Amino acid sequence: MEKPHFIVAMLQIASSLDYNKDRKIDVTQAAAIQLKNMAETHWRYKDDAYTQEMAEEGCKVIVITEEDKKYVRDNILQVYTNVHSEIVARQIDY
């Protein structure tokens, strides 16, 4: 159920052009979209019992750790102000 540091990795990838080198697709944009979707859908799951109940009902549930939430909160503004692409920025500020 838990994928620790996945949301942190998406934030880091979204903020770096290095991942786009020699690629036909914009990896940073894909990471920003995944970050937005993950935060929008899974940020609220905290309680293990509720998470288990949702999983038993067939819902895909990912628990974002408090450590990862703190990292995102502490770094999202800096990433937003330094991104290379308006498209990526729009995904992050959603």
Side-chain angles (χ1 to χ4, degrees):
M1 267 184 259
E2 194 168 303
K3 294 188 180 198
H5 313 303
F6 183 75
I7 198 164
V8 170
M10 293 301 100
L11 183 64
Q12 292 170 343
I13 292 168
S15 66
S16 176
L17 284 174
D18 293 340
Y19 294 97
N20 284 343
K21 288 182 182 172
D22 302 321
R23 303 247 194 302
K24 292 181 181 181
I25 62 167
D26 188 339
V27 175
T28 57
Q29 180 183 355
I33 292 168
Q34 183 64 34
L35 169 72
K36 177 196 70 149
N37 291 342
M38 186 174 183
E40 188 177 78
T41 305
H42 301 284
W43 193 275
R44 67 183 175 269
Y45 297 120
K46 298 179 191 178
D47 182 277
D48 288 338
Y50 178 73
T51 302
Q52 185 63 36
E53 180 183 326
M54 295 297 291
E56 288 172 2
E57 290 178 12
C59 296
K60 181 180 175 190
V61 178
I62 298 170
V63 177
I64 302 170
T65 66
E66 288 303 317
E67 175 186 359
D68 288 350
K69 288 179 182 179
K70 180 176 180 350
Y71 181 90
V72 171
R73 285 185 197 108
D74 291 347
N75 292 282
I76 193 88
L77 185 59
Q78 180 181 358
V79 169
Y80 177 73
T81 58
N82 293 321
V83 293
H84 68 283
S85 161
E86 184 180 326
I87 295 169
V88 172
R90 274 189 268 146
Q91 295 302 319
I92 292 173
D93 85 347
Y94 177 77

